[in-house]
Amino acid sequence: MVKEVKPAVLLFLAFSLLTGLVYPLLITGVVQTMMPERAHGSLIVVDGQVIGSELIGQNFSGPGYFHGRPSAVSYAANGSGASNLGPTSSRLMDEVRRRVEQVQMENNLSQNMPVPADLVEASASGLDPHISMDGAMLQVPRIAKARGLPESEVKLLVYQTIEPAQFGILGQERVNVLKLNLALDDLTRLR
């Protein structure tokens, strides 16, 4: 019996060592070498302090800031996920209707003006850091007024922070809300 168990135990130990230690260390070393900023979570540091990650959405609610996508998990990166409410859910419809009204009110829009879906619907992870160009441009007048800036300067800032579709074909042009708001703070500080 020992003859049959010994190879199984040795194989178990060898694969545990290989998949539990060697492989993770190898991949970590490769990533640390080839793309160290991404290996550390794409953190954004301002004045020596980490203020966020370019990969995780944050809650901006002030009138002088661009607002990102709503989050079903209150932007908690340790528990990403969706609401699991389907398209026929009355609770989801009520929530989206409330968000549409809020966006229209905050941005001084008429009730029949359409609102981009990304400003009222949470992403699957609840942590999407991007909004569409339409979502950003809709907010420009509110932000320009709140910051005392010409709309043309705020629009230019949006255009300067556009990220292209991934690999040029996947998705659409988008704007990272945290990066855009930091650029907006820099613009206001320089005035």
Side-chain angles (χ1 to χ4, degrees), residues 70-172:
S71 174
V73 294
S74 300
Y75 305 96
N78 61 345
S80 69
S83 67
N84 291 330
L85 299 174
T88 59
S89 167
S90 61
R91 194 168 125 207
L92 177 64
M93 292 286 103
D94 291 343
E95 184 66 24
V96 169
R97 231 178 263 111
R98 184 191 64 72
R99 290 174 182 160
V100 167
E101 290 170 0
Q102 181 180 352
V103 169
Q104 288 172 334
M105 183 188 71
E106 286 175 345
N107 294 285
N108 201 23
L109 305 173
S110 67
Q111 286 186 341
N112 58 358
M113 183 159 183
V115 173
D118 58 317
L119 293 182
V120 296
E121 296 175 352
S123 65
S125 69
L127 301 172
D128 192 345
H130 298 96
I131 56 174
S132 65
M133 287 299 297
D134 290 341
M137 288 302 180
L138 180 137
Q139 299 180 66
V140 166
R142 168 180 52 83
I143 292 161
K145 182 179 179 187
R147 298 243 181 179
L149 296 169
E151 284 186 30
S152 60
E153 282 188 41
V154 179
K155 281 183 184 178
L156 179 62
L157 196 62
V158 171
Y159 283 113
Q160 290 172 339
T161 58
I162 292 174
E163 295 179 10
Q166 195 167 21
F167 309 118
I169 56 170
L170 298 176
Q172 62 183 350

Side-chain angles (χ1 to χ4, degrees), residues 38 41-42 44 52-57 125 127-130 176 178:
R38 289 196 159 245
S42 300
I44 296 176
S53 168
E54 67 181 73
L55 304 175
I56 299 175
S125 69
L127 301 172
D128 192 345
H130 298 96
N176 185 296
L178 176 57

